[in-house]
């Protein structure tokens, strides 16, 4: 399964895998590369159809830390397959990654987290009715308590503080997309305890926990969620805000990974 990776980076053993979300691909430039491999060359990796997602695996170092950067992810909404990232996540575990660091662009359900704010993910809600482990037998009853590793969460918040970057923490709710949520859905999500909403991340967390990896997550608020900001919603805004805040996000990621 991972031969296509190991033959391009012999002996390389990453410790941390990172998933770069919409508009957050810049972090790949912070990696001193050992190998860069397009997903198309990797069996089981997604064929990404979102233009802002590059679809490349970058292996290399950030400071002293060996990393594997997944620049771009597949989403459930692309083909209705919740396990679209299963091959990629399992490959990261097989390569030796202890931790999966997920990033994403999200809508904010909190007025104290305007567009441009960062939120460390403390937990998630998956009420989509689907699960990436459908059809899996071995180990499928995955414990999701502490899925977002409490120690790594603390470390992320400490690193952000050291970097002088304000970082909130909260609960991420996964909606299937690709349409944005309705204002009524967002009011319901708020009652359920969500702080941020997005179309990714939760399935990869489930897959990573199933594969024995720790997970840490960081959301960038690119808009107020439907009905909270008054404006219309669109992918262009997601990209524009993400691009603008990308420097701040990269700084936190770099500091976290260097000190890992
Ligand atoms: N909803 C879902 N996904 C998103 C949003 C949103 O408001 N913003 C960025 N990704």
């Amino acid at each position: 399964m991972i031969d296509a990776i190991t033959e391009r980076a012999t002996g390389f053993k990453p410790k941390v895998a990172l998933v770069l979300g919409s508009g957050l691909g810049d972090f790949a430039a912070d990696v001193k590369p050992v190998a860069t491999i397009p997903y198309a060359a990797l069996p089981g990796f997604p064929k990404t159809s979102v233009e802002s997602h590059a679809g490349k695996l970058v292996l290399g170092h950030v400071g002293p830390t060996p990393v594997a950067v997944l620049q771009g992810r597949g989403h459930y909404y692309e083909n209705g397959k919740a396990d679209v990232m299963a091959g990629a996540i399992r490959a990261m575990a097989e390569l030796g990654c202890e931790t999966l660091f997920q990033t994403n662009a999200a809508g904010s359900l909190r007025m104290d987290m305007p567009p441009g704010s960062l939120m460390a993910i403390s937990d998630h809600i998956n009420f989509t009715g689907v699960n990436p482990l459908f059809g899996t037998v071995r180990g499928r009853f995955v414990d999701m308590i502490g899925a977002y590793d409490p120690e790594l969460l603390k470390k992320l918040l400490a690193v952000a503080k050291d970097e002088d970057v304000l970082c909130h923490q909260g609960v991420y709710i996964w909606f299937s997309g690709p349409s944005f949520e309705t204002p009524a859905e967002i009011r319901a999500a708020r009652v359920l305890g969500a702080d941020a909403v997005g179309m990714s991340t939760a399935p990869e967390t489930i897959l990573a926990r199933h594969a024995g990896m720790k997970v840490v997550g960081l959301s960038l608020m690119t808009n107020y969620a439907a009905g909270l900001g008054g404006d219309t919603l669109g992918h262009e805004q997601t990209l524009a805000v993400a691009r603008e805040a990308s420097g701040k996000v990269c700084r936190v990621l770099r500091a976290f990974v260097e000190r890992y």
Side-chain angles (χ1 to χ4, degrees), residues 199-212:
M199 304 176 193
S200 67
T201 302
E204 295 94 314
T205 295
I206 294 167
L207 289 164
R209 294 303 297 143
H210 179 251

Side-chain angles (χ1 to χ4, degrees), residues 64-114:
T65 312
V67 300
V69 176
L70 293 157
Q71 197 180 11
R73 50 154 70 87
H75 299 82
Y76 172 55
Y77 61 70
E78 292 174 65
N79 290 297
K81 292 188 169 63
D83 65 350
V84 58
M85 288 295 283
I89 300 296
R90 286 172 186 153
M92 295 303 102
E94 217 181 309
L95 279 177
C97 294
E98 301 162 359
T99 293
L100 180 70
F101 195 134
Q102 299 219 55
T103 65
N104 60 51
S108 172
L109 277 71
R110 277 178 26 193
M111 298 320 281
D112 68 330
M113 298 196 302

